[in-house]
Amino acid sequence: MKNIAEVLEGVKTVGIGGHIRPDGDCVGSCMALYLYIRKYFPDIDVNVYLDHPKPIFGHIESIDEIKTEVEEERSFDLFITCDVSARDRLALADNLFEHAKKTVCIDHHVSNSGFADVNHIRGEVSSCCEVLYGILDPDKVDLAVATAVYTGMIHDTGVFQYSSTSPETMRIAGELMKTGIPFSRIIDESFYQKTYIQNQVMGRVLAESILLQNGTCIIGYLRKKDMDFYGVTGSDLDGIVSQLRLTRGVEVAIFIYELETQSFKVSLRSNGRVDVSKVAVFFGGGGHTRAAGCDLQGSMYDVINNITAEIEKQLTEEENA
Ligand code: AMP
Ligand code: MN
Ligand code: MN
């Protein structure tokens, strides 16, 4: 696909959906596409479906127009997914995808095998927002669209810091700046700023973290009862795994929190030696070489054991190579 206009030809209704527990890249790409279609294809009836987006994305125009529930079964002419690595990650919009006349997947996950009719997947690109920008008409990227795209880019590149950041990423960021986006505010308020409680919880996880495998692996964890004590949910825990990764000597950081009894969400970050997407895929998850995740069942002890065993395998294979 060279331009999104190609798939919009003759289309009257479009649905857009992202992945479960949407992050900045997911919200940014879905909203950028929504705002773009709404403005430049006014004859198309477009709807965007996402799990409740966090308040930190309040600066994105028309964020309140996101549908957080599917009220009626609809058969869209076209359903587009953004930042969704696999069909089972769609959650909320799964039924709409199922019944759409045609489907499109725009993504940047290496683990994505292409589950739509048209797949525009670029595994080497840092964010779905960057992939999306590549198929928009650059002259039509206005302040509102640029704000959404920029938000996604900073979230998936750790503010242009991760190795996936390319000269092209920076070029696009420069183009977006030309529209006058409040970039300092977007970075601070949507990425770095934490509530007092969120900082307290991060402090607690760091204080209780464990170093394994000669200090190459660090694990932080949070149990449901402690989350309830602080009154936090999964969306309050962003940034914790990134901070763990910054521990000197560490190759892989693991952060685990309890979704419900015997059910855990696992986040993995690597400094380069270990491909954590392989580890995540092994356990039914997905992601990128340096940032991946999966959901696991069992006791916390089992989850830690199983994950670290896979990481150790990769580290020893590498040593023996
Ligand atoms: P997270 O640790 O949740 O920030 O996720 C890191 C990366 O891994 C993101 O690109 C996610 O899309 C991907 N990811 C996380 N959890 C899963 C999962 N259960 N299945 C597939 N991909 C996942
Ligand atoms: Mn994402
Ligand atoms: Mn992404």
Side-chain angles (χ1 to χ4, degrees):
M1 200 194 314
K2 289 230 159 22
N3 195 294
I4 193 74
E6 290 168 30
V7 290
L8 296 176
E9 218 173 284
V11 163
K12 291 205 165 48
T13 56
V14 172
I16 301 171
H19 60 74
I20 183 170
R21 297 187 292 263
D23 52 25
D25 187 31
C26 183
V27 176
S29 51
C30 287
M31 284 308 294
L33 184 57
Y34 173 72
L35 294 166
Y36 187 89
I37 295 177
R38 206 182 60 178
K39 181 161 179 182
Y40 299 107
F41 300 83
D43 296 336
I44 295 180
D45 171 28
V46 57
N47 285 278
V48 57
Y49 298 87
L50 283 173
D51 251 355
H52 292 274
K54 298 170 206 170
I56 53 169
F57 303 124
H59 62 283
I60 296 177
E61 193 179 298
S62 302
I63 192 93
D64 55 335
E65 288 173 23
I66 289 175
K67 294 196 185 322
T68 54
E69 269 166 52
V70 179
E71 316 97 7
E72 47 168 352
E73 221 168 85
R74 284 190 69 169
S75 172
F76 285 102
D77 291 342
L78 186 67
F79 197 90
I80 308 175
T81 69
C82 291
D83 200 39
V84 179
S85 60
R87 178 70 202 275
D88 63 359
R89 299 265 298 153
L90 247 177
L92 181 70
D94 191 67
N95 220 292
L96 299 169
F97 184 92
E98 179 78 38
H99 293 107
K101 297 194 184 90
K102 189 176 174 181
T103 55
V104 173
C105 164
I106 302 170
D107 191 34
H108 72 122
H109 289 88
V110 275
S111 56
N112 194 331
S113 57
F115 55 88
D117 300 327
V118 178
N119 296 288
H120 185 71
I121 301 160
R122 296 187 51 199
E124 76 289 359
V125 172
S126 64
S127 63
C128 181
C129 277
E130 188 177 328
V131 176
L132 176 68
Y133 183 87
I135 51 172
L136 300 182
D137 203 334
D139 299 335
K140 290 183 177 155
V141 175
D142 62 7
L143 178 69
V145 175
T147 298
V149 172
Y150 191 85
T151 301
M153 288 175 76
I154 62 160
H155 275 260
D156 263 25
T157 59
V159 193
F160 309 114
Q161 178 228 355
Y162 303 153
S163 60
S164 55
T165 308
S166 69
E168 179 65 2
T169 312
M170 301 313 287
R171 186 193 69 78
I172 295 170
E175 290 300 321
L176 299 174
M177 278 173 86
K178 288 182 193 164
T179 67
I181 51 168
F183 57 90
S184 308
R185 222 189 76 210
I186 298 174
I187 293 172
D188 243 7
E189 291 176 13
S190 92
F191 194 82
Y192 288 115
Q193 210 175 69
K194 300 269 172 255
T195 63
Y196 180 64
I197 295 289
Q198 287 166 347
N199 270 334
Q200 273 194 312
V201 171
M202 183 183 306
R204 169 157 178 172
V205 173
L206 298 179
E208 292 182 345
S209 66
I210 317 161
L211 277 174
L212 292 173
Q213 298 172 1
N214 286 327
T216 55
C217 201
I218 191 165
I219 301 183
Y221 58 91
L222 204 56
R223 289 189 183 279
K224 186 84 177 60
K225 67 172 170 49
D226 296 316
M227 291 174 66
D228 292 344
F229 173 80
Y230 289 102
V232 293
T233 64
S235 65
D236 292 303
L237 311 176
D238 283 357
I240 294 182
V241 71
S242 309
Q243 190 57 45
L244 288 165
R245 181 189 67 86
L246 290 170
T247 313
R248 191 169 291 163
V250 156
E251 287 298 334
V252 182
I254 306 164
F255 175 57
I256 300 168
Y257 71 85
E258 205 171 7
L259 295 164
E260 51 196 81
T261 312
Q262 300 268 309
S263 173
F264 298 87
K265 153 92 185 122
V266 180
S267 282
L268 302 163
R269 297 293 183 273
S270 165
N271 280 324
R273 270 178 63 196
V274 173
D275 179 347
V276 286
S277 87
K278 281 190 188 154
V279 178
V281 167
F282 184 82
F283 292 105
H288 314 277
T289 51
R290 292 189 184 213
C294 54
D295 294 352
L296 281 183
Q297 269 66 46
S299 70
M300 174 89 82
Y301 188 76
D302 289 338
V303 170
I304 293 177
N305 264 341
N306 293 338
I307 293 276
T308 50
E310 276 312 299
I311 291 166
E312 195 168 10
K313 246 191 237 169
Q314 271 197 46
L315 283 169
T316 44
E317 263 170 31
E318 190 210 41
E319 273 160 24
N320 296 337

